[in-house]
Amino acid sequence: MPKPFFITTAIDYTNGAPHIGHAYEKVLGDVLARYHRLKGEEVFLMTGVDQHGQKVQQSAEKEGVAPQVFVDGITAKFLALWEKLDVRYDAWAATTDATHKDCVRAILQKLWDDKDPATGASRWIYKKTERGWYSVRQEQFLTDKERGADGEFGPEWGQVEERDEENFYFRLKEHRDWLRDFIKARSEAGSPFVFPDFRVSELLNAVEKMEGDLCISRPASRLKWGIPFPESFGAGFVTYVWFDALVNYISFAGYYPSLPENPKFNALWPALHVIGKDILIPAHGVYWPIMLKALGFADEQMPTLLVHGWWNIAGAKMSKSTGNIVDPNALADKYGAEALRYYLMTDIATGRDADFSEERLVTRYNADLANSLGNLLNRTLSMTAKYRAGKLTKVISDGIVGPDKPEEIEAAIKAEGKIVMTVTSPDFSAESRNHVEHLYQPNMDRHIVNIGIEAGMRFVTLCNQAIDILQPWRVAKDPKHTKVLDSTLYDLAESLRIIAILISPVLPKAARGIFAQLNWDKDEHGNERPFRLADAVWGGLPDGHVLGQPIPLFPRIEKPAE
Ligand code: MSP
């Protein structure tokens, strides 16, 4: 049996409420999951929350509540948002879960116990004392990056003193050659470790410059809110948050280091990790593959990273201090979840950054959904109701959809004093194949959702143009053109059936609505008809099929007066 398509997202920090960047990533994960289901694949989508760490500890302290109470409150907000945005996942990774904590500790133990026979010391982890600049107020060590232009640490750090600290380190730099060769080999084999391509060179550059190892512990005296190290390491150490968080991808998928077979896990792994560009280097691009290698994962068992860009506000980063955080909850309440999903999936190129704009959300919704798609649906259903009492006659077009003799209709229209038709309408079946096979599918397969959806929307535009050119309301007046009208109405309804399938990963409710209005929502046994890409082939609606009534699916959003 083929493995499911296993897709994960980053797990969000629970030190504040979700924002539009979190929403984008989870909707992207959900859309890819729905697309692969559309292709008939088994899919497993996992998302969750990163509940430990200094930032969470500090936010909880500020509110004067216990960290677990604090993270439970924030976690509830994330859960409610995914419900509202129709993000459907198969596993929820919340890192304060006992199974995850056990797994992290067991992994540390396994790496600690993996001894080099020559030295008797662990091959992966060592203990070391480092001296550094420590901010008493922020409870963290500072690096040169934190120094101001004058070379001093600013007042925000409070008292800064030199301190010695003993910690555990995970070896990274000795794996640099392996990591570089692995990344190159994956690209050469045509299955790059990182998508999109330009991120591969970015990562390779970082790997070349890699120095130092990763400090994976914090003394419990300054970080309490984390997973305690196993006792065999000595008392008083807590796991650094990244070493804890990255493990979620395997711990919640059923991995446990001492299990000989890990059958549940092996049936799923490896995953496609959907992450933002800020956490590629070093966390996912360096720490994570080396951690997996340390656990004995072979090169063929390494995951793939899909790295998306960021939503900015007028070119600047969203941040609490600037007060420009965009709240996805408020947008979904105001415009509906599907309007938000559509905007997030179409107004950014997968991998690149974009500027968030509420005005563009409204403009795109009105232009693409209310006008273009909504009108096509409405016109198709209304005309079929008016001219054919809703009933379709299946006329398969053979290259040219038009009157028996295209010049006849042209002449007829000319006779009415208005030349509206200079070309015949498209070959719908060929166009639909073209859009599905050459535009939609290849782009969706490469996770370029914006272009995939654009293919669907281009097909909508084409149908609308065909209506404008053919003017079925004129054709309907002339009994000579019965076949033209029949084929046009069939072509439009059939196109809508296919368009609904194509947009269903992004707009599952609207797609269902289109199916319902086409009276195609249930199969012959009365069961809900699933969306399947295999059904996006021309000719699915049978001869004599009766369409439903038009109901506005995408009411226009009225822009507030200037
Ligand atoms: N907890 C870590 C991830 C651990 S994964 C093992 C973290 N959390 S986060 O809450 O800061 O970010 C979660 C995800 O949201 C990241 O992939 C990040 O890139 C993404 N985004 C955060 N802000 C974003 C935008 N403004 N735009 C798009 N995505 C952004 O990092």
Side-chain angles (χ1 to χ4, degrees), residues 10-13 19 22 25 50 276 278-279 308 310-311 318:
I11 50 172
D12 302 317
Y13 283 130
H19 59 59
H22 299 131
E25 182 177 280
D50 190 354
D278 57 317
I279 56 173
H308 62 74
W310 268 39
W311 285 98
M318 263 191 294

Side-chain angles (χ1 to χ4, degrees), residues 235-249:
F237 291 98
V238 166
T239 315
Y240 169 52
V241 70
W242 273 105
F243 205 90
D244 158 354
L246 286 163
V247 168
N248 95 84
Y249 297 132

Side-chain angles (χ1 to χ4, degrees), residues 62-136:
K62 239 187 244 164
E63 293 219 344
V65 293
Q68 188 68 58
V69 174
F70 182 80
V71 299
D72 286 348
I74 301 281
T75 300
K77 293 189 184 184
F78 278 95
L79 285 164
L81 181 63
W82 307 149
E83 172 85 34
K84 186 179 281 182
L85 296 185
D86 224 351
V87 171
R88 297 240 184 95
Y89 43 84
D90 304 288
W92 178 248
T95 54
T96 55
D97 187 292
T99 319
H100 169 75
K101 290 197 275 192
D102 273 0
C103 185
V104 170
R105 288 159 61 87
I107 284 175
L108 285 167
Q109 191 65 56
K110 177 182 161 112
L111 301 182
W112 189 235
D113 292 344
D114 185 1
K115 306 288 190 209
D116 179 341
T119 62
S122 162
R123 296 166 59 213
W124 305 102
I125 296 174
Y126 62 92
K127 197 175 184 182
K128 178 174 85 164
T129 303
E130 275 228 337
R131 195 169 179 76
W133 294 102
Y134 185 78
S135 152
V136 179

Side-chain angles (χ1 to χ4, degrees), residues 202-507:
E202 215 175 277
L203 177 58
L204 280 170
N205 279 337
V207 172
E208 285 309 330
K209 292 196 198 109
M210 201 171 133
E211 52 186 46
D213 292 328
L214 173 65
C215 178
I216 56 168
S217 68
R218 297 290 182 270
S221 54
R222 66 182 178 94
L223 177 68
K224 286 171 197 66
W225 188 237
I227 303 175
F229 261 55
E231 287 68 36
S232 54
F233 285 77
F237 291 98
V238 166
T239 315
Y240 169 52
V241 70
W242 273 105
F243 205 90
D244 158 354
L246 286 163
V247 168
N248 95 84
Y249 297 132
I250 56 177
S251 65
F252 288 96
Y255 176 86
Y256 197 78
S258 60
L259 283 180
E261 290 293 332
N262 277 307
K264 180 182 164 216
F265 174 73
N266 285 327
L268 278 176
W269 191 259
L272 173 72
H273 297 315
V274 179
I275 57 165
K277 63 175 187 178
D278 57 317
I279 56 173
L280 168 64
I281 299 168
H284 285 79
V286 177
Y287 303 164
W288 186 225
I290 297 178
M291 283 167 71
L292 289 169
K293 182 174 189 274
L295 288 171
F297 284 60
D299 289 9
E300 309 77 67
Q301 293 172 297
M302 292 294 156
T304 300
L305 309 177
L306 168 58
V307 182
H308 62 74
W310 268 39
W311 285 98
N312 296 321
I313 309 296
K317 200 173 157 174
M318 263 191 294
S319 85
K320 273 189 202 158
S321 51
T322 335
N324 61 357
I325 302 265
V326 179
D327 174 10
N329 249 302
L331 290 168
D333 289 344
K334 198 163 163 192
Y335 303 116
E338 298 234 319
L340 181 58
R341 286 174 66 103
Y342 184 75
Y343 175 72
L344 289 177
M345 289 301 107
T346 54
D347 216 34
I348 190 169
T350 315
R352 302 284 172 182
D353 291 355
D355 257 334
F356 182 87
S357 144
E358 190 169 336
E359 198 184 329
R360 280 190 59 77
L361 184 158
V362 173
T363 307
R364 284 204 81 121
Y365 171 92
N366 280 340
D368 299 359
L369 301 180
N371 286 358
S372 197
L373 180 54
N375 260 344
L376 175 64
L377 180 67
N378 192 275
R379 294 205 281 180
T380 303
L381 264 63
S382 310
M383 290 190 298
T384 313
K386 186 166 173 194
Y387 305 129
R388 293 290 185 263
K391 191 169 166 183
L392 296 175
T393 301
K394 186 168 179 175
V395 183
I396 296 282
S397 52
D398 51 6
I400 295 173
V401 180
D404 300 331
K405 290 201 185 94
E407 58 282 7
E408 272 181 23
I409 194 163
E410 209 166 337
I413 291 164
K414 270 187 195 154
E416 287 185 41
K418 199 174 160 207
I419 303 171
V420 288
M421 198 172 96
T422 50
V423 288
T424 51
S425 69
D427 173 349
F428 278 82
S429 68
E431 283 299 346
S432 105
R433 202 174 335 110
N434 190 22
H435 281 78
V436 175
E437 288 175 19
H438 301 300
L439 290 169
Y440 181 78
Q441 202 175 333
N443 281 296
M444 295 297 278
D445 282 342
R446 288 161 52 227
H447 323 304
I448 311 176
V449 173
N450 57 308
I451 309 274
I453 295 307
E454 201 182 303
M457 298 314 290
R458 269 184 51 170
F459 194 33
V460 173
T461 306
L462 205 86
C463 292
N464 276 323
Q465 282 170 351
I467 297 180
D468 295 343
I469 290 167
L470 279 165
Q471 304 202 357
W473 48 94
R474 286 171 189 260
V475 178
K477 286 186 192 147
D478 190 338
K480 259 205 329 264
H481 299 314
T482 302
K483 195 177 158 205
V484 182
L485 187 62
D486 282 341
S487 76
T488 304
L489 296 174
Y490 182 84
D491 287 345
L492 295 172
E494 180 59 3
S495 298
L496 275 162
R497 185 186 67 81
I498 289 172
I499 288 160
I501 296 173
L502 303 188
I503 62 169
S504 65
V506 175
L507 300 168

